Amino acid sequence: MSGLEPFGARLRRAMDERGPLCVGIDPHASLLTEWGLNDDVTGLERFSRTVVEAVADRVAVLKPQSAFFERFGSRGVAVLERTVREARAAGALVVMDAKRGDIGSTMAAYAESFLHPDAPLFSDALTVSPYLGYGSLSPAVALARESGTGLFVLALTSNPEGGEVQHAVRPDGRTVGATVLGHLALENAGEEPLGSFGAVVGATLGDLSSYDLDTGGPILAPGIGAQGATAADLPAVFGRAVRNVVPNVSRGVLRHGPDAVTLRDAADRFAEEIRTAVTPA
């Protein structure tokens, strides 16, 4: 459909060449204010363009949070379209953080919005929620395979509320989170060098040795920086899967704006710290 290599292969190469860092683009109101920008579409565009120009040519992944653009309506979505297009043109892979989840034709439409090559918001991967049942994601899985894109599925998130669902024990004795990870392992079976179907697992969760995180796909790991986790924590949290971890840093980088040079320097520091932490001695 798109002629792209599978997302997992493209991500593995980007991580090896640029380091395994994902920078979030989260233009919430307080951050716009910190940058001296108005909380309006003009401020949104200035913020997003600055981040892209500063780091899109050096980080593996950029992750715009769709909600912060959607809140401005169609003009905000237009800024998001340009942000995605310019980030990909500069060489970064774009993971759209939209956490979509539904059933049937609605899930198919969500997938087409972000994973169809003709879509204005076409991205390299999309975050999705499996909590209407993993099978509800089937339309997105199918389109991702067809278009060479990927999914990051919420599995073990860092928010305290997530545990009541993700750590719930099913009749077969497995937790819901472990069940999601098991589905991803099946999706990625036989894929080299990396599968295209990843999990979202918080870097702040501490000991996860009771979970098999090695699904053959990437792990998007929020929590580095402002949420309290550090690059040095990654091996202990993710164990043998650490080489496939894509740590997400948002405020830890973005608070250094609006100066592009300091943004770039912050991204470089995080990338090097993470590369050092996840590379075997």
Side-chain angles (χ1 to χ4, degrees):
M1 175 187 286
S2 69
L4 289 175
E5 279 186 282
F7 171 68
R10 294 186 289 123
L11 178 60
R12 177 78 272 160
R13 184 165 57 250
M15 292 166 69
D16 291 344
E17 292 176 355
R18 295 185 172 203
L21 173 65
C22 169
V23 173
I25 304 180
D26 297 355
H28 48 77
S30 62
L31 196 49
L32 293 177
T33 299
E34 287 179 28
W35 278 36
L37 301 172
N38 292 329
D39 185 22
D40 56 20
V41 173
T42 300
L44 177 74
E45 184 163 24
R46 174 71 180 276
F47 178 95
S48 303
R49 180 156 286 168
T50 300
V51 176
V52 169
E53 290 177 350
V55 304
D57 65 344
R58 62 210 312 113
V59 301
V61 180
L62 283 174
K63 183 177 70 64
Q65 169 47 260
S66 178
F68 292 121
F69 296 82
E70 293 176 36
R71 69 193 183 100
F72 293 106
S74 61
R75 294 177 64 202
V77 172
V79 173
L80 181 58
E81 291 175 5
R82 289 193 294 274
T83 299
V84 171
R85 185 170 61 249
E86 291 170 2
R88 297 187 75 236
L93 298 176
V94 171
V95 174
M96 181 61 68
D97 194 357
K99 299 184 179 70
R100 297 300 197 248
D102 215 305
I103 59 172
S105 59
T106 308
M107 188 68 241
Y110 280 140
E112 289 169 3
S113 299
F114 301 104
L115 302 179
H116 194 286
D118 294 335
L121 286 167
F122 179 61
S123 303
D124 296 286
L126 172 68
T127 61
V128 292
S129 173
Y131 295 111
L132 287 174
Y134 184 85
S136 67
L137 302 179
S138 294
V141 170
L143 183 55
R145 290 193 187 282
E146 187 177 1
S147 63
T149 56
L151 300 176
F152 282 100
V153 182
L154 302 180
L156 297 168
T157 58
S158 56
N159 62 305
E161 303 87 350
E164 68 184 41
V165 174
Q166 295 155 21
H167 299 313
V169 179
R170 290 163 34 94
D172 64 4
R174 291 198 302 172
T175 66
V176 172
T179 300
V180 172
L181 293 169
H183 282 297
L184 292 172
L186 292 174
E187 301 288 6
N188 293 317
E191 296 294 327
E192 294 290 344
L194 187 66
S196 297
F197 299 93
V200 179
V201 179
T204 56
L205 295 179
D207 183 7
L208 293 174
S209 59
S210 61
Y211 287 92
D212 185 359
L213 300 177
D214 192 4
T215 67
I219 300 173
L220 183 63
I224 301 290
Q227 293 185 47
T230 69
D233 295 328
L234 295 172
V237 176
F238 295 100
R240 63 179 183 173
V242 73
R243 183 172 179 269
N244 297 333
V245 170
V246 186
N248 176 74
V249 179
S250 295
R251 180 173 287 274
V253 171
L254 300 178
R255 67 183 178 84
H256 293 279
D259 183 75
V261 173
T262 55
L263 280 170
R264 192 175 299 124
D265 289 345
D268 287 347
R269 284 195 303 274
F270 274 108
E272 185 55 34
E273 288 174 8
I274 292 165
R275 191 196 296 270
T276 299
V278 304
T279 301

